[in-house]
Amino acid sequence: MRVTAVVFDMDGVLIDSEPVWERVRRDYIAEKGGRWLPDTQKRLMGMSTGEWSRYLAGELGVGEAPEQVADEVIERMAAHYDREVPLLPGAVAAVQRMSRNWPLGLASSSPRALIDTVLGRTGLIEFFEVTFSTEEVDRGKPAPDVYVAAAGFLRRKTTECAAVEDSSNGLRAAHAAGMRVIAAPRPEYPLDPDARALAAAVVDGLDDLTPALVAGRES
């Protein structure tokens, strides 16, 4: 497979936001009298806004309408990003490095408002030809919809794209789309073995994300 475009995930790949999402949602659920389950964070990673707000409202016992849950949690996340965008080490350099070789897309489970805030505040928006939220497709990750949409707007076949992902559901989504998957997992959220097996390569950090690795010219 010849790589002709690269699609990045955002949360956990470019920004260290999963701990922020977890803290914000945990606090919100506690305030609303709901319950946080042992597998909640793993299940939430990759869900679209509609999916996770229904999950919080229903299964986790938050006594509000899903639309209100989404608005209130996103407002808290936006307030955090107004104070600080937690860029991961090497994120800007990795995006710049890839952009010198391929057109870039972004396929994120974050809502559109937070994608635009993060990319705008960090200046990364100039490097992406297309950005997609799972809000804008039918299904969130692990379904492939957001990756299929990003490839389509890049005018590439999904099988010509490489994806950079951190989560198990993200890897499953990109692989289901037919992309070459590079895993960049966060140590606090280890990959499920079946998801890790889908990766063509695994990097410990974005400094290791090289054009040769993405293109499959490195073992």
Side-chain angles (χ1 to χ4, degrees), residues 116-129:
D116 292 344
T117 296
V118 168
L119 297 186
R121 286 179 62 85
T122 59
L124 288 173
I125 189 63
E126 66 178 283
F127 298 103
F128 289 96
E129 294 194 9

Side-chain angles (χ1 to χ4, degrees), residues 88-137:
L88 281 164
V92 173
V95 169
Q96 292 173 335
R97 200 159 53 242
M98 295 304 109
S99 72
R100 290 194 288 268
N101 292 269
W102 299 285
L104 302 184
L106 185 127
S108 175
S109 298
S110 273
R112 166 57 55 189
L114 296 185
I115 292 173
D116 292 344
T117 296
V118 168
L119 297 186
R121 286 179 62 85
T122 59
L124 288 173
I125 189 63
E126 66 178 283
F127 298 103
F128 289 96
E129 294 194 9
V130 62
T131 63
F132 255 94
S133 166
T134 52
E135 283 185 332
E136 298 156 345
V137 296

Side-chain angles (χ1 to χ4, degrees), residues 159-176:
T159 52
E160 296 175 346
C161 298
V164 186
E165 266 286 357
D166 70 301
S167 72
S168 294
N169 280 340
L171 266 71
R172 293 178 183 121
H175 185 267

Side-chain angles (χ1 to χ4, degrees), residues 4 72 155 174 176:
T4 64
E72 292 177 353
R155 298 184 179 181

Side-chain angles (χ1 to χ4, degrees), residues 6-22:
V6 176
V7 184
F8 281 86
D9 178 39
M10 187 177 79
D11 293 277
V13 172
L14 300 179
I15 58 172
D16 191 19
S17 55
E18 295 296 357
V20 183
W21 276 108
E22 181 172 353

